[in-house]
Each structure stands twice: as structure tokens, then as C-alpha cells.
Amino acid sequence: MKRRDFLRCTSAGLASVIAGTTGLIAWTPRAHAATINKTFYLTHGTSTMIDGTSVYFRGFSSSPGVVNVPGELITNDNGDVIQQGDTVNMTIHNTLNTTHRFTIDGLGVNETLRGGRTTRFSFVADKHGSFPYYDSSHAPSNRLLGLHGALPVLPRCSTDELYPNSPTFVQQYSWIFSEIDPVWHNAIRNGRTPSTP
């Protein structure tokens, strides 16, 4: 890290401590890159929709006994968003007997997840922005079944900007929208290609 960047981050951290003592919202950006460890289980199962329809899903899930759709945000153990320059160590346990992929366009991540095996890999979040992660195999079927999620990456030395010198925020949300079609989901579950629009 350049001395100028270190001084800028350190000054921002000191300013947040001073602001915190006056009752304002405090935040402390990190002046160094961190290592984030994240574990997913590639699972499948059904979920009941609001109308009572049971729909088949696959997900990058937090434990082997659940199906998270969409998958969890990739954050650190405290739920803090990743900052540019952080290293992310991923462990993915594929509980299915089929091969899948874990892809993050824009960050150069495209890993094969063999059926019934555990895959470990690392990448550096070297760009800031919002990045979807998803299963790029059998596109778009696996993504539509629920194998997707989000990775927000904040600029280096910041926890309240979307990009360097952007307006600041107090709370950040990630919304992921997708369509669910029980007929498509069931067809894919049974190894068929959906034939309806």
C-alpha cells in the first residue's frame, strides 16, 4: 500500500472514532487487505411458494440440510462487505452427484465443482462493484433453479462508498430478482429441457 493511501485510510478511521464519541454513526475502513473464508454447500430440495406450490431448487447454501435461494452474500464472518484487495478463500461441498461450476464474471473466477466432492480455491477481489456469482454450466438452467447469489465489493479503504468518492451511505442492501416457473424447475429436475416459453 502506498504511504498516501495508508495515511488517507488512517485519517478516515480516526475521524470515525471522533464522530463515534459524539453519537454519530461510526465506521472504520480497513487500511489493509483481509482474508475472507467462505463455505457453501451445493444442495437441492423443494420450497413451498406463497400459493402452496412446491417447487424444486438448487442452491449455494449455508449448510448441507437447507437450500438457500439465492445463495448468501459473500461477506466476512461478521457480515461485513468485502473490500477491494481482499483475498477470498472458498470451500464448496457439492452434495449433488452432478458436476457444476462457480463463476464470477469480472473477477476471473470459473471453478469446476465435481459431484460429491469438495472444491477449494482462492481469488482476490481486485475490483470494486457488485458481482453476481452463479453456476454457468447448462446455462441458464442451473442459474434459474437457484444457483446464484451476490458478491458486493467496496472500494479499498472504504465501507460506505460504492466507488471512490461516491456519495456515502449508512446501510447497503443487495436485491436479487429472479423468475420461478414450477414447470421448468420440474422438467430440469427430471433431466428434460423445458419446451414452454
Side-chain angles (χ1 to χ4, degrees):
M1 170 179 276
K2 294 181 181 174
R3 183 175 183 272
R4 177 182 55 197
D5 293 336
F6 177 77
L7 291 174
R8 184 169 54 88
C9 290
T10 306
S11 298
L14 181 58
S16 69
V17 171
I18 294 168
T21 62
T22 62
L24 301 174
I25 294 173
W27 58 274
T28 306
R30 286 185 274 114
H32 64 282
T35 299
I36 311 301
N37 299 307
K38 191 69 175 180
T39 299
F40 283 141
Y41 296 83
L42 205 157
T43 62
H44 69 137
T46 59
S47 184
T48 303
M49 301 293 99
I50 195 167
D51 66 354
T53 303
S54 181
V55 179
Y56 175 74
F57 288 98
R58 295 177 185 156
F60 290 111
S61 304
S62 58
S63 68
V66 301
V67 180
N68 296 126
V69 176
E72 292 183 346
L73 289 177
I74 298 178
T75 61
N76 71 13
D77 291 339
N78 298 326
D80 296 329
V81 176
I82 292 172
Q83 291 182 345
Q84 184 179 3
D86 288 352
T87 297
V88 181
N89 296 327
M90 295 291 304
T91 300
I92 302 179
H93 305 281
N94 185 350
T95 68
L96 308 180
N97 60 6
T98 52
T99 297
H100 294 270
R101 296 198 70 77
F102 184 87
T103 302
I104 305 175
D105 294 328
L107 294 179
V109 178
N110 194 17
E111 297 290 329
T112 300
L113 310 171
R114 304 264 180 237
R117 295 190 184 168
T118 296
T119 303
R120 292 177 177 83
F121 58 93
S122 298
F123 64 92
V124 175
D126 58 353
K127 298 178 183 113
H128 57 81
S130 296
F131 301 93
Y133 65 81
Y134 63 100
D135 180 353
S136 60
S137 63
H138 305 291
S141 300
N142 283 319
R143 181 179 47 81
L144 292 172
L145 283 178
L147 288 170
H148 61 271
L151 167 64
V153 180
L154 296 180
R156 185 175 281 112
C157 300
S158 179
T159 58
D160 65 349
E161 296 175 307
L162 295 176
Y163 52 88
N165 302 313
S166 75
T168 59
F169 58 83
V170 175
Q171 182 71 42
Q172 181 180 16
Y173 295 94
S174 291
W175 286 14
I176 301 174
F177 295 94
S178 60
E179 294 185 53
I180 298 170
D181 184 332
V183 174
W184 272 52
H185 286 229
N186 197 47
I188 296 169
R189 175 187 194 177
N190 293 313
R192 298 190 316 270
T193 302
S195 58
T196 59

